[in-house]
Amino acid sequence: MLSFESVGVRYPQAPATALDGVSFTVSAGECVVLGGGNGAGKSTVLRAAAGLVQLTEGRVLIGGSPAGSRPARSSVGFVADKPPLYDVLSPVEHIELLSALWQLPPAGENTLRTYGLEGVARRPVRTLSLGQRQRLALAVATLHRPELLLLDEPFNGLDAATTGLVRAILRSHLAAGGAVLVATHTFEPMDGTATGALRVDAGRLVDAYAGPDPLGELRRGLAARSAADEAEQR
Ligand SMILES: Nc1ncnc2c1ncn2[C@@H]1O[C@H](COP(=O)(O)OP(=O)(O)OP(=O)(O)O)[C@@H](O)[C@H]1O
């Protein structure tokens, strides 16, 4: 479903490459967690998959189409770490506006129920809590029923109930044959759901874990990296 082939990204005016020679795949039914320190390149991987950054080398394919192309965009739902929502519009207005723009059948009531937004359906987004905004961002990103979900820190600032709701939504997406790629520093909510994990370090993919406990292996990989850093500083 998603394929990175020797992908390189260098942001304009940035001193170093953000991604260098990154290759991996995510197939239908897989949920892959991207881990790595601050600035390692996790968000850039997601932006490249969403077709939002220019590649300096390699290619990214979604279902065989280049990321960013029309067919690729229709297969992808992207929730950025700071989702771009309209402060003055309500959840209902977001859903109506985007459904009309993308010529989708009306899905208002169902969507609001699925994402637990009925109670705030007609309030302007500027009055919503972080967790309510996060749920709306996910609702909007999945309106067109994409096969691949790209989520950047989806559990930031969420309480236990909302974390559980997001996890349940991801699981039903996977059970329906969808795929998920999540960049996060918060692994607990993905325990038991992740089928694989990737460790990114200074723009390179340094480890891929696909065993029975991919997040345990990712945690150990990150801990070993931190220990090596500390030893070097001593
Ligand atoms: N728009 C940009 N312009 C220039 N450099 C950028 C831009 N966005 C990211 N970078 C740089 O690219 C590298 C990778 O950043 P990225 O945001 O992908 O890391 P990350 O792993 O998601 O980090 P974090 O965990 O802190 O969110 C960093 O060195 C960052 O400073």
Side-chain angles (χ1 to χ4, degrees):
M1 191 173 285
L2 169 67
S3 163
F4 270 59
E5 298 176 3
S6 305
V7 170
V9 171
R10 188 182 196 118
Y11 290 104
Q13 287 149 23
T17 49
L19 294 183
D20 185 9
V22 171
S23 299
F24 66 93
T25 60
V26 181
S27 303
E30 286 186 341
C31 178
V32 175
V33 171
L34 272 173
N38 289 134
K42 303 178 297 296
S43 297
T44 305
V45 168
L46 294 186
R47 285 187 214 123
L52 297 175
V53 290
Q54 192 145 16
L55 308 186
T56 44
E57 59 174 275
R59 60 181 189 163
V60 178
L61 300 177
I62 315 276
S65 302
S69 65
R70 201 174 231 286
R73 276 187 289 137
S74 71
S75 303
V76 165
F78 176 44
V79 181
D81 52 349
K82 291 189 190 75
L85 298 170
Y86 301 99
D87 268 356
V88 294
L89 298 185
S90 67
V92 165
E93 287 166 335
H94 274 85
I95 290 166
E96 285 175 355
L97 175 71
L98 294 169
S99 298
L101 204 62
W102 299 334
Q103 299 172 341
L104 302 171
E109 290 301 316
N110 272 347
T111 306
L112 291 168
R113 204 171 317 115
T114 304
Y115 291 90
L117 291 165
E118 304 106 307
V120 296
R122 298 192 181 274
R123 275 172 41 183
V125 157
R126 66 168 182 276
T127 70
L128 301 191
S129 74
L130 182 61
Q132 290 162 343
R133 282 167 190 249
Q134 194 70 8
R135 276 184 266 156
L136 177 59
L138 198 52
V140 162
T142 52
L143 264 186
H144 59 300
R145 304 203 172 282
E147 288 105 1
L148 173 65
L149 292 181
L150 304 169
L151 309 176
D152 203 347
E153 292 293 357
F155 303 105
N156 254 1
L158 300 191
D159 64 13
T162 309
T163 298
L165 177 77
V166 172
R167 191 174 39 218
I169 287 165
L170 297 188
R171 284 192 178 164
S172 75
H173 178 75
L174 293 164
V180 180
L181 181 62
V182 185
T184 186
H185 295 284
T186 314
F187 302 134
E188 291 73 25
M190 299 306 296
D191 273 323
T193 302
T195 59
L198 302 170
R199 186 161 69 87
V200 188
D201 192 337
R204 289 178 169 273
L205 188 59
V206 289
D207 273 317
Y209 313 104
D213 181 20
L215 293 182
E217 291 184 66
L218 176 57
R219 286 181 180 100
R220 285 188 283 279
L222 290 167
R225 171 68 157 91
S226 299
D229 275 353
E230 278 169 30
E232 205 171 290
Q233 279 162 17
R234 259 185 252 124

Coordinates of all heavy atoms in Angstrom, one line a residue, residues 11-12 14 18 36-45 47 81 153 185, ligand 1:
Y11 N 15.3 20.0 3.2 CA 14.5 21.2 3.2 C 15.3 22.4 2.8 O 16.5 22.5 3.1 CB 14.0 21.5 4.7 CG 12.9 20.5 5.2 CD1 13.2 19.5 6.1 CD2 11.6 20.6 4.7 CE1 12.3 18.7 6.6 CE2 10.6 19.7 5.2 CZ 11.0 18.8 6.1 OH 10.0 17.9 6.6
P12 N 14.7 23.3 2.0 CA 15.4 24.5 1.6 C 16.0 25.2 2.9 O 15.3 25.3 3.9 CB 14.4 25.4 0.9 CG 13.2 24.5 0.7 CD 13.3 23.4 1.6
A14 N 18.0 24.3 5.0 CA 18.3 23.5 6.2 C 19.8 23.0 6.0 O 20.2 22.7 4.9 CB 17.4 22.3 6.3
A18 N 17.1 15.9 5.8 CA 16.1 15.5 6.8 C 15.9 14.0 6.6 O 15.6 13.3 7.6 CB 14.8 16.3 6.6
G36 N 11.9 7.6 17.1 CA 13.2 8.3 17.0 C 13.2 9.6 17.8 O 12.1 10.1 18.2
G37 N 14.3 10.1 18.1 CA 14.5 11.3 18.9 C 13.9 12.5 18.2 O 13.5 12.5 17.0
N38 N 13.9 13.6 18.9 CA 13.5 14.9 18.3 C 14.4 15.2 17.1 O 15.6 15.1 17.1 CB 13.6 16.1 19.3 CG 12.6 16.0 20.4 OD1 12.9 16.1 21.6 ND2 11.3 15.7 20.1
G39 N 13.7 15.6 16.0 CA 14.4 16.0 14.8 C 15.0 14.8 14.0 O 15.7 15.0 13.0
A40 N 14.6 13.6 14.4 CA 15.1 12.4 13.7 C 14.6 12.3 12.2 O 15.3 11.7 11.4 CB 14.8 11.1 14.4
G41 N 13.4 12.8 12.0 CA 12.8 12.7 10.6 C 11.5 12.1 10.5 O 10.9 11.8 9.4
K42 N 10.8 11.8 11.7 CA 9.5 11.1 11.7 C 8.5 11.9 10.9 O 7.8 11.3 10.1 CB 9.1 10.8 13.1 CG 10.1 10.0 14.0 CD 9.6 9.8 15.4 CE 9.4 11.1 16.2 NZ 10.7 11.9 16.4
S43 N 8.3 13.1 11.3 CA 7.3 13.9 10.6 C 7.5 14.1 9.2 O 6.6 14.1 8.3 CB 7.2 15.4 11.3 OG 6.8 15.3 12.6
T44 N 8.8 14.2 8.8 CA 9.2 14.3 7.4 C 8.8 13.0 6.6 O 8.3 13.1 5.5 CB 10.7 14.6 7.3 OG1 11.0 15.8 8.1 CG2 11.1 14.9 5.8
V45 N 8.9 11.9 7.2 CA 8.5 10.6 6.6 C 7.0 10.7 6.3 O 6.5 10.4 5.2 CB 8.8 9.4 7.5 CG1 8.1 8.2 7.0 CG2 10.3 9.1 7.6
R47 N 5.1 13.5 6.0 CA 4.9 14.5 5.0 C 5.2 14.0 3.6 O 4.5 14.3 2.6 CB 5.7 15.8 5.3 CG 5.1 16.5 6.5 CD 5.8 17.9 6.6 NE 5.9 18.2 8.0 CZ 7.0 18.4 8.7 NH1 8.2 18.4 8.1 NH2 6.9 18.7 10.0
D81 N 0.7 17.0 13.2 CA 0.9 17.2 14.6 C 0.1 18.5 15.0 O -0.4 18.5 16.2 CB 2.3 17.3 15.1 CG 3.2 18.2 14.3 OD1 2.7 18.7 13.2 OD2 4.3 18.5 14.7
E153 N 1.8 12.1 16.0 CA 1.6 12.3 17.5 C 0.1 12.3 17.7 O -0.4 13.3 18.3 CB 2.3 13.5 18.0 CG 3.8 13.4 18.0 CD 4.3 12.4 19.0 OE1 3.6 11.8 19.7 OE2 5.6 12.2 19.0
H185 N 6.1 9.6 20.1 CA 7.0 9.3 21.3 C 6.2 8.5 22.3 O 6.8 8.1 23.3 CB 7.5 10.6 21.9 CG 8.3 11.4 21.0 ND1 9.6 11.1 20.7 CD2 8.1 12.6 20.3 CE1 10.2 12.0 19.9 NE2 9.2 12.9 19.6
Ligands
LIG1 N1 10.1 23.1 7.2 C1 11.4 22.8 7.6 N2 12.4 23.6 7.1 C2 13.7 23.3 7.4 N3 14.1 22.2 8.2 C3 13.1 21.4 8.7 C4 11.7 21.7 8.4 N4 10.9 20.7 9.0 C5 11.8 19.9 9.6 N5 13.1 20.3 9.4 C6 14.3 19.7 9.9 O1 14.3 18.3 9.4 C7 14.7 17.4 10.4 C8 13.7 16.4 10.7 O2 12.5 17.0 11.3 P1 11.2 16.2 11.6 O3 10.2 17.3 12.0 O4 10.9 15.3 10.5 O5 11.6 15.4 12.9 P2 10.8 14.6 14.0 O6 11.5 13.2 14.1 O7 9.4 14.5 13.6 O8 11.0 15.4 15.3 P3 10.1 15.6 16.6 O9 10.1 14.3 17.4 O10 10.9 16.7 17.3 O11 8.7 16.1 16.2 C9 15.1 18.3 11.7 O12 16.5 18.5 11.6 C10 14.3 19.5 11.4 O13 14.9 20.6 12.0

